[in-house]
Amino acid sequence: MHHITSFAGRVRQGDVGRGKQVRVGTVRSALAAIAQTIAMDRGKTPLHNDLGDYHLPIRHMLDGFEKVDPPSEKKLAVGIDLPEHCCARAKRACSAKARAIGDLILIAFYFLLRIGEYTIKRTRNNSKRTVQFRMRDVIFFKKSQGRLQQLPRTAPNRDILSADGVTLRLSNQKNGYKNACIHQEHNGHEFLSPVRAVGRRVCHIRQHSTDPDIFLSAFFEDDGRNGDVTDNDIRKELKLAAIALNYESRGIPVTRIDTHSLRAGGANALHLSGYSDREIQKMGRWTSETFKEYIQEQLSSFTEGMSTRMRQRFNFVNVEGGILNNITNTIMGY
């Protein structure tokens, strides 16, 4: 037991990680990992008693960690103005990377994407389930006689850039679902449209590569340099845009804007537009109701007009509060 609690303490202090103190959830995950390894070897976990609870020393230690941990701050949603600002700024940029960043931010907002679905990380983690979008995962559609018809992959750029809809297929994702498809239609804006943004990505990439497995985050500069947009590239651009749009004045600190803010923002936009929880859940590919964490009631839109409607007077009575009298004696003349 002493060795286990000592290991947990080292994890807590960051001695087996990045040198920074971690939260209790990380400690629990580390303990669960070693417990599983030991259980596979010995047939029994050293962390839990026969009832499945943590042994008392471990439980007291974790409870202590939890008490001193600061409250977690969830990232806040952004409005459509932020991705549109990023995309419009990218339009004026000279580098292919900057244009890719702007388009990917707009795509992430409309398709409610997780960061790992459209960017790469500097340090690859091969244990992650999510597979990023590739060129082969994109299908464009054009309306013909009122119906959407699929465009061939060899369609010319003019058809791709005037498509009426696009579908992205995820070969695998965080929750284990495979081959999930997400579809969006053209919103009428010739530049700030998710369909046009995906079209620009595809046209740029296939100009330089015929590899169907190349990521949508790829970019190719005129001087021969190439690479992929990373999560840090998206994070930096979002914070710069939030500063430019003065998000602080809306009660949204820049420190609480991150890559998850786009997914949260897309969910909020759908909710405020009147879409049902089920529709939002399907669009974001959530398998549980955890998506409701992204629907933030602290936004003023949720209470608009509420106090005015609450002043309306209703003549209600408590039907359980003794308003009914027994009139039997009166009728019978007693």
Side-chain angles (χ1 to χ4, degrees):
M1 186 62 63
H2 171 71
H3 294 298
I4 293 175
T5 54
S6 296
F7 170 76
R10 292 189 62 193
V11 172
R12 171 72 167 180
Q13 296 303 321
D15 293 342
V16 293
R18 299 180 179 179
K20 296 181 179 179
Q21 181 171 303
V22 298
R23 300 174 67 90
V24 66
T26 303
V27 179
R28 285 198 180 100
S29 298
L31 288 176
I34 63 167
Q36 185 177 20
T37 302
I38 296 173
M40 291 176 64
D41 182 51
R42 300 184 179 181
K44 186 176 181 180
T45 170
L47 268 66
H48 305 91
N49 57 29
D50 293 337
L51 298 176
D53 299 323
Y54 282 120
H55 287 299
L56 197 59
I58 300 175
R59 188 163 73 244
H60 284 171
M61 177 191 62
L62 295 176
D63 288 345
F65 289 164
E66 190 167 13
K67 286 179 181 178
V68 298
D69 275 347
S72 58
E73 283 191 338
K74 294 178 181 177
K75 301 306 177 184
L76 299 179
V78 296
I80 184 59
D81 60 331
L82 192 143
E84 287 190 346
H85 173 88
C86 295
C87 196
R89 199 167 88 95
K91 183 180 182 181
R92 303 186 296 269
C94 297
S95 73
K97 180 179 181 179
R99 293 192 291 271
I101 292 172
D103 283 336
L104 288 171
I105 287 175
L106 192 72
I107 293 168
F109 180 89
Y110 275 101
F111 285 91
L112 277 63
L113 300 184
R114 301 177 179 94
I115 185 64
E117 294 170 347
Y118 64 99
T119 67
I120 66 168
K121 288 191 174 183
R122 289 184 177 179
T123 55
R124 296 289 293 172
N125 185 348
N126 294 327
S127 67
K128 296 293 185 182
R129 288 178 174 176
T130 302
V131 176
Q132 197 191 133
F133 289 116
R134 305 158 298 178
M135 287 287 282
R136 68 164 71 245
D137 299 322
V138 183
I139 302 173
F140 290 96
F141 295 85
K142 192 81 173 175
K143 283 184 179 178
S144 177
Q145 297 180 345
R147 298 180 62 183
L148 288 174
Q149 293 188 350
Q150 183 176 329
L151 291 175
R153 297 191 181 277
T154 56
N157 285 357
R158 65 176 179 275
D159 289 344
I160 297 296
L161 294 175
S162 62
D164 296 304
V166 64
T167 294
L168 301 180
R169 182 180 65 86
L170 272 166
S171 56
N172 201 2
Q173 53 185 319
K174 181 181 176 180
N175 55 23
Y177 274 29
K178 296 183 178 181
N179 295 322
C181 291
I182 329 164
H183 183 82
Q184 279 284 14
E185 294 194 356
H186 178 48
N187 63 10
H189 197 288
E190 282 309 310
F191 190 80
L192 301 174
S193 163
V195 180
R196 296 292 178 266
V198 177
R200 290 191 292 269
R201 290 274 70 228
V202 168
C203 291
H204 169 76
I205 292 170
R206 72 180 187 178
Q207 182 181 353
H208 301 275
S209 174
T210 57
D211 182 3
D213 290 318
I214 194 169
F215 293 148
L216 279 185
S217 60
F219 62 86
F220 300 83
E221 302 289 0
D222 293 337
D223 59 7
R225 292 180 296 117
N226 62 78
D228 282 275
V229 174
T230 69
D231 56 333
N232 283 335
D233 293 328
I234 300 294
R235 185 174 294 111
K236 179 181 178 181
E237 183 64 21
L238 290 178
K239 292 183 181 295
L240 288 174
I243 293 171
L245 295 172
N246 196 18
Y247 259 61
E248 295 272 0
S249 67
R250 310 181 198 179
I252 303 177
V254 175
T255 55
R256 296 187 64 184
I257 292 177
D258 210 325
T259 55
H260 239 51
S261 298
L262 293 171
R263 185 165 163 83
N268 269 320
L270 289 173
H271 183 81
L272 295 172
S273 298
Y275 286 90
S276 68
D277 287 351
R278 181 177 178 274
E279 290 169 317
I280 299 171
Q281 186 173 2
K282 289 185 69 66
M283 187 64 188
R285 293 103 54 221
W286 282 286
T287 56
S288 68
E289 292 193 352
T290 55
F291 76 96
K292 291 184 178 179
E293 296 177 5
Y294 298 91
I295 309 301
Q296 296 164 349
E297 281 75 13
Q298 72 266 32
L299 300 183
S300 61
S301 302
F302 288 96
T303 57
E304 184 177 354
M306 187 178 291
S307 63
T308 301
R309 299 186 68 178
M310 288 173 71
R311 287 197 70 245
Q312 184 177 350
R313 298 181 183 228
F314 297 92
N315 294 320
F316 57 83
V317 295
N318 180 8
V319 297
E320 193 179 49
I323 64 169
L324 299 179
N325 299 316
N326 187 344
I327 61 173
T328 304
N329 292 342
T330 303
I331 295 176
M332 299 299 295
Y334 294 151

